[in-house]
């Protein structure tokens, strides 16, 4: 197996795109600025102060109250037209599905997003909350 180590890659045809050939001629072009997940996290909302389990490009999480969180990006997005998804996992003792939603149109900023985990109209502190940022 060979290892390629570099500090920089630049596409020949398009500066921000890299073409990857993976065995038997399978070709994939990846846009390095627009095509990758820019930030993501898995957080536990059941602790006194919500805490990250795993994270990429997330600096801090703020516990705004029961089931209500703000995740702050380490590196901000360049504008507000990025794509953000949030989900929440099922909690022991909670009847029905637990879902995560953005609190309002102002929940998304270039430096953070704010969301709530809830079930049956009630905010819930659950152990599995996830946020993915693409842009």
């Amino acid at each position: 197996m060979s290892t390629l180590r570099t500090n920089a890659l630049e596409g020949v045809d398009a500066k921000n795109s890299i073409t990857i050939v993976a065995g038997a001629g399978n070709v994939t072009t990846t846009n390095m600025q627009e095509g990758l997940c820019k930030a993501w996290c898995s957080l536990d909302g059941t602790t006194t102060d919500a805490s990250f389990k795993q994270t990429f490009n997330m600096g801090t999480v703020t516990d705004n109250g029961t089931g209500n969180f703000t995740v702050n990006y380490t590196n901000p997005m360049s504008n507000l037209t990025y794509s953000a998804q949030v989900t929440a996992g099922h909690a022991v003792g909670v009847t029905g599905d637990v879902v995560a939603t953005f609190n309002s149109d102002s929940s998304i900023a270039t430096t953070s997003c704010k969301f709530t985990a809830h079930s049956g109209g009630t905010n819930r502190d659950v152990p599995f909350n996830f946020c993915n940022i693409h842009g």
Side-chain angles (χ1 to χ4, degrees), residues 3-21:
T3 301
L4 172 66
R5 295 174 187 232
T6 182
N7 288 327
L9 292 173
E10 183 175 308
V12 175
D13 297 326
K15 185 174 182 170
N16 297 322
S17 293
I18 301 294
T19 300
I20 300 167
V21 179

Side-chain angles (χ1 to χ4, degrees), residues 1-60:
M1 174 190 276
S2 298
T3 301
L4 172 66
R5 295 174 187 232
T6 182
N7 288 327
L9 292 173
E10 183 175 308
V12 175
D13 297 326
K15 185 174 182 170
N16 297 322
S17 293
I18 301 294
T19 300
I20 300 167
V21 179
N26 296 325
V27 178
T28 302
T29 300
T30 300
N31 184 300
M32 301 308 284
Q33 285 187 317
E34 298 296 327
L36 303 175
C37 187
K38 301 299 190 216
W40 59 264
C41 71
S42 168
L43 68 92
D44 184 349
T46 63
T47 59
T48 303
D49 291 316
S51 60
F52 289 127
K53 292 179 180 183
Q54 292 287 320
T55 180
F56 172 72
N57 195 28
M58 294 283 186
T60 59

Side-chain angles (χ1 to χ4, degrees), residues 73-131:
Y73 317 141
T74 303
N75 297 295
M77 301 298 111
S78 60
N79 56 52
L80 294 176
T81 60
Y82 63 89
S83 173
Q85 300 82 39
V86 290
T87 57
H90 191 74
V92 175
V94 174
T95 304
D97 292 332
V98 176
V99 297
T101 57
F102 294 107
N103 298 345
S104 68
D105 289 343
S106 63
S107 294
I108 296 182
T110 57
T111 57
S112 66
C113 74
K114 186 175 181 178
F115 66 95
T116 302
H118 52 91
S119 175
T122 302
N123 289 3
R124 306 284 186 179
D125 281 336
V126 296
F128 303 104
N129 298 274
F130 309 98
C131 180

